[in-house]
Amino acid sequence: MTDADAATDTGAAAGTEATAGARAGNTAAGTRTGDTAARVRAADTAAGTRTGDTAARVRAADTAAERRAAGPLLLGVRHHGPGSARAVRAALDAARPAVVLVEGPPEADALVPLAAGEDMRPPVALLAHAVDEPGRSAFWPLAGFSPEWVAIRWALRHGAEVRFIDLPAAHTLAWGGEEGHGDGDGRPERRKRQEEGAPEQRTGEREVPEPETGAAEPGVPERGAGEQEAPEGEREAAVRVDPLAVLAGTAGYDDPERWWEDVVEHRDGAGTDALAPFEVLAEAMGALREAYGTGGHERDLVREAHMRLQVRAARREFGDDRVAVVCGAWHVPALRLRAAVAADRALLKGLPRVRTDMTWVPWTHRRLARASGYGAGIDSPGWYGHLFDAPDRPVERWLAKVAGLLRQEDRIVSSAHVIEAVRLADTLAALRGRPLAGLTETTDAVRAVMCDGSDVPLALVHDRLVVGDVLGEVPDAAPAVPLQRDLARAQRRLRLKPEAAERELELDLRKDNDAERSRLLHRLRLLGVPWGEAAASRGSTGTFRETWRLRWEPELAVRVAEAGIWGTTVPAAATAKAGSDAVAARTLADVTALAEDCLRAGLPDALPVVMRVLADRAALDADVGRLAQALPALVRSLRYGDVRGTDTGALAGVAAGLAERVFVGLPPACAALDAEAAEEMRRHVDAVHGAVGLLAESGTTVAAAGVRPDIRDRWHGVLRALATRDTVHGVLRGRAVRMLLDEGRLAREEAARLMGLVLSPGTAPGDAAAWIEGFVGGSSGGGLLLVHDERLLGLVDAWLTGVPADAFTDVLPLLRRTFSAYEPGVRRTLGELVRRGPGAPGGTAAGTTVPGFAPDPDTRRADAVLPVLRLLLGRDEPDGPDGPGDLDGPGGPGAPNGPGGPSGPVEPSGAGPSGPYAAPGDDSNGNSGSNGNGGSSGGSGSKGGNGGSGNDLVGADR
């Protein structure tokens, strides 16, 4: 199979690789241990080392049987653990309970039937938010490999009842809202909830801190008399980091994830007691709870009290042997505790409540990752999903998947790479004493074999596969606010499917569908739902093109719920929000930016309110800087009348009035400014200059609004006033002169005179340097101006050479800032011109010029490339009068594919005596020979043959 075939048929290649990889894996396994029996013995030995001995395991199984007979089935799990999910499924198949109790908010009981639908695809999350404050919300994420999701789906398939037993979301949101404040700065405190079983909670998109209730710990057994208690800070720190880290450290592991993979994920539970893993894990968590109590999270006492009450109710209704509980393993010891009902109810008494709504929302693997800030998250959701879904040979299948991804990115990865990577991963696992190659071993193998030791493609594998961009789906029947339903309808109508992976969307606003898409994205941004971010268009700078980067994040569902207070449809909500924002805007620039957003979003009903506020603010605001800052956005809005079909007549009148006020107030405002204020005012002057140009170009609209047609002339008068006033800072005077020069309103002689006055010895060097920065500094193209006007360059050069030594060090930083902004080619050209001496007598005479700086273009050398250029462009023309292939008539260049000339022996100089293949501009005798169609001369043939694929441009003047 070729590389191209492998790249186009990844699925077939993956099957071949998986089969070959399986054989390689079996060979490697035999090499490591000799035979399968030896591997089993090694695994049993390792298990015995961790648990003590085989007898201890038997005793644990006996104890488990006794506990199962005495109470409900408690299945303690690791959230989002595929090993726990497989174990839960096996345990439920063995026990066949009548009711499954799941850790989660009881308000979600009514939403459980939706999980059985085919259109519900994990990862998803239960979203609870306060009715009166939608921003106060909490998520309970569930992936396809989450034990809770597996338990829910099992119960729905087997007709068992499902109930959630955690603390109600009404209490969770109210509790977090009352105590969600930090240490006086007004921002909610951020604490990562690392204990097992904690939902991802957000208040205003921030995680809710754990409350410090100071309650007693009735559910924790007392410590033995002879045990020494660790300091409280150390106990809390150990559990806050990760409960599994304590167990992993006790077992001699430095990586909790690797320990969990070895003892749970990589163990095949076939043929063993389905409930034994839960008893072992419960025993370990019991030891942790004895040593660390609640681990500093006192809210767990309240949550566990509610869970115990719900378990008691289910036991009374269904019986002890018909109840199964799926919860975080951290809570199992507390649920086994025989606490008094009155004590549990006392803990729940008086808890605050809020009215809540709950629904299902899509989730992403990226949001399941611990790196996203989710306390109960995992490091590699994509890898865990693969372990759960792979029916067999997980390592071989994973590496085949990695190979497919790298091929999509045009990297050469063959089946041999996959086979070798499998062998290397298995060998590393054997060297490290692991029962199966894990993510660490496969990553090392991919880096060494498929990525050639580079971490750059490995980062792509981590982002796309180890973490992943999987986005779940929820059915349309799931509860949602009216605004969310309207948005979903608009997304379907416009074919804008939400995706977790970032993608770029190019829009042509001249097309109806693209224009509707643009309006939807702008409206969502007005509502505070940043599904798309505007980006610079690469293909065109016209106003009819827009580029967006789209990426749907789960928390945007909360933003939509928050925006639901403004209306039931996206246009209505955006209109109401724009009117409110206009009234609440703090600056005039904010109002003009809002007017621009309303035009882009297509909100004609919002414009009257915004324009009224804009007119009132503009009439009362006397600050020229704020007026100048507001004008550009307002003038830019005038352009949308052409593409978007909006009426911008009212905007033109306000913009022209704003411009008149700027014209009057700008000269006094520019007087007596320091360097920092002058630089800021310079930016305002640049913005107003561009805005006036756009306003003047909108001639029809401006005339209809009753605006004076000489607005550009008035602006040029303002610039002349700035250029000639000594009280204006040098950077502003220089910039005004440059603008007038570029507009053709100032002759070059006059510009040179003004520069000469400024650069005269009577002017302070600092003021002169500021003038130069304003005139030729920054990205204004001043470097090219100096390149093409040697008189101005000579003035600058003469001034620099005349600056006194003591003043030169003062102006050097300003000069370096001015000239460092030039392109490298411009700086190099200026250096050559200065070295030659601009305007020097005889500077352009033959023999005295620097190579590359001839007085006139060398047309003969330039014309030599025309035949090749025509060949590249495919611009063949009919035969001319001088023979076939003649493109330019007599004296024209030879055709790219024409035959050789009728005569002309090959000469070293490249000058054939005759023929129609002379260089352009020469006579038909081919005297120049610079474009001769053949080896090294202008005779017939092309390197010994006919015209060939192009003329060899080897001649006297090459």
Side-chain angles (χ1 to χ4, degrees), residues 381 520 590 614 710 751:
L520 175 63
D590 293 338
L614 177 61
D710 60 343

Side-chain angles (χ1 to χ4, degrees), residues 160-207:
E161 188 171 345
V162 179
R163 295 179 182 176
F164 290 100
I165 61 172
D166 204 347
L167 191 68
H171 297 312
T172 303
L173 297 179
W175 201 349
E178 289 184 359
E179 305 198 18
H181 298 283
D183 50 0
D185 61 355
R187 295 177 299 173
E189 181 183 359
R190 294 183 60 88
R191 294 184 185 173
K192 287 187 178 181
R193 307 187 63 199
Q194 301 290 355
E195 79 277 14
E196 292 296 323
E200 185 180 25
Q201 300 177 351
R202 296 180 178 272
T203 297
E205 299 185 21
R206 294 191 173 108
E207 201 167 358

Side-chain angles (χ1 to χ4, degrees), residues 103-105 124-128 138-142 166 169 172 199-201 358:
E103 181 182 342
V124 293
L126 288 167
L127 165 64
F139 296 95
W140 284 260
L142 297 171
D166 204 347
T172 303
E200 185 180 25
Q201 300 177 351
M358 180 159 292

Side-chain angles (χ1 to χ4, degrees), residues 117-129:
E118 293 297 329
D119 48 358
M120 174 77 87
R121 298 183 179 89
V124 293
L126 288 167
L127 165 64
H129 63 85

Side-chain angles (χ1 to χ4, degrees), residues 46 108 133 207 275 280 301 486 554 700 724 733 771 775 794 796 832 922 930:
E133 188 181 350
E207 201 167 358
L275 304 181
V280 174
L301 298 176
D486 183 70
T700 303
T724 56
R733 286 186 284 128
W771 196 96
F775 187 72
V796 175
E832 293 287 352
D922 296 315
S930 63

